[in-house]
Amino acid sequence: MKNETVLFDDTHHKCVMFSLEDEEHAAHSLSVNQFLIIQNNSAVLIDPGSEVIFSDLYEAISRHIDPKQLKYIFFSHQDPDVAGAIAQWSVATSAKLVISQLWVRFMGHYGLMDMDRILGLEDHGAQITFGSDYLRFIPAHFLHSPGNFSLYDSRSKILFSGDIGAAIASPQNLNKRVDDFEEHRPFLEGFHSRYMASNRFCRAWVQCVRRYDVATIAPQHGSLFHGENATRFLEWFENVEGGAEHCDTLYGCEKT
Ligand SMILES: [Fe+2]
Ligand SMILES: [Fe+2]
């Protein structure tokens, strides 16, 4: 299928990436990835995106599982490209909706009626068993959202990193895979220096992530980092300077 890549499949456990976007607004939007993890009869959907792609994504995941088998839908943070269709997903499935506790009170503004469907994550994250393996919600606060998590899948060793690792307009986004980190790096720089809050959070996240055996880093926008490129990304990201480091330039008050 177009816009669909199987990232991992050992017959019991499968991870699929969809890259569906709103074609009418493609020129102004980032390329967006959505992810599905399936193990036997249950599944987790990750960052399903906005209302615009809801029907296409529902149909795409239906080719792999009955959407009624979705056990969890995980939203890394509150942005519309991540959680904009939370109300539609709540009606179309019986999945638990997992998001930072910080954003629970805001989800009604996306039209979500039944707040009891939400599993609000505390700041330190959580671990859930998933079949014979586990999924770990790793804190990624202020990178960029103040209530933000990455998700590590212990079976596939894929880290679903949300907006961390997002690349804008990189030629390597076309094949969704970073082949040369140095060539891809310029397309990471602008996004991370403006959207990430500060280097302190970048370092804290890398420290947490290094406790896990990560084979692939899969961001919500742009290309995936495999093996050596994932290692190179972590080495680069722990030195990223964000909003706090650029505060004087961003505000510019001393010049007026
Ligand atoms: Fe975001
Ligand atoms: Fe995003």
Side-chain angles (χ1 to χ4, degrees):
M1 269 317 280
K2 190 175 159 254
N3 301 330
E4 188 174 309
T5 314
V6 175
L7 303 176
F8 182 90
D9 189 358
D10 66 3
T11 71
H12 297 294
H13 189 97
K14 185 156 89 164
C15 300
V16 187
M17 173 171 71
F18 306 95
S19 304
L20 301 173
E21 43 200 316
D22 173 12
E23 284 172 12
E24 277 177 37
H25 298 105
H28 301 287
S29 65
L30 294 161
S31 77
V32 189
N33 305 317
Q34 307 82 29
F35 301 97
L36 178 68
I37 310 175
I38 306 167
Q39 187 169 127
N40 300 323
N41 292 325
S42 63
V44 181
L45 180 61
I46 300 170
D47 287 351
S50 68
E51 235 184 297
V52 182
I53 62 158
F54 169 76
S55 302
D56 288 348
L57 184 58
Y58 188 89
E59 198 186 305
I61 66 169
S62 304
R63 289 194 291 270
H64 296 271
I65 46 140
D66 177 348
K68 301 229 163 9
Q69 292 176 322
L70 280 176
K71 201 167 176 188
Y72 300 102
I73 303 177
F74 167 60
F75 304 88
S76 58
H77 60 295
Q78 85 291 1
D79 272 348
D81 61 327
V82 168
I86 192 169
Q88 285 83 348
W89 287 105
S90 76
V91 173
T93 71
S94 52
K96 274 275 173 202
L97 311 168
V98 184
I99 192 166
S100 160
Q101 186 64 46
L102 233 62
W103 301 120
V104 174
R105 62 172 68 96
F106 291 90
M107 290 300 109
H109 296 277
Y110 284 137
L112 182 68
M113 307 288 276
D114 182 4
M115 293 300 164
D116 291 341
R117 293 284 297 283
I118 299 187
L119 197 70
L121 291 170
E122 301 296 333
D123 280 345
H124 289 167
Q127 185 163 306
I128 52 173
T129 51
F130 185 60
S132 52
D133 303 284
Y134 69 85
L135 299 173
R136 177 93 208 175
F137 300 97
I138 297 176
H141 310 308
F142 294 100
L143 301 170
H144 64 92
S145 165
N148 191 36
F149 290 92
S150 300
L151 177 60
Y152 176 69
D153 169 20
S154 70
R155 179 82 160 237
S156 67
K157 301 188 188 334
I158 299 174
L159 177 69
F160 299 93
S161 59
D163 282 338
I164 299 170
I168 302 196
S170 169
Q172 294 180 58
N173 285 355
L174 291 172
N175 56 15
K176 292 284 170 191
R177 176 193 173 96
V178 175
D179 291 314
D180 183 323
F181 183 77
E182 275 312 304
E183 276 180 28
H184 189 67
R185 186 173 53 80
F187 302 93
L188 298 167
E189 278 170 346
F191 181 89
H192 290 81
S193 72
R194 184 63 180 85
Y195 282 93
M196 302 296 142
S198 91
N199 177 256
R200 182 161 183 186
F201 294 107
C202 299
R203 279 187 285 121
W205 182 81
V206 171
Q207 200 180 5
C208 286
V209 165
R210 284 200 175 121
R211 293 171 54 205
Y212 301 90
D213 180 10
V214 175
T216 297
I217 296 175
Q220 194 222 348
H221 306 283
S223 304
L224 278 60
F225 304 85
H226 299 287
E228 178 61 20
N229 282 311
T231 308
R232 298 286 308 282
F233 173 75
L234 293 178
E235 287 164 3
W236 171 79
F237 188 68
E238 69 183 337
N239 290 303
V240 160
E241 296 192 333
E245 290 76 25
H246 300 126
C247 181
D248 291 346
T249 320
L250 286 167
Y251 277 64
C253 297
E254 77 282 3
K255 290 179 192 140
T256 54

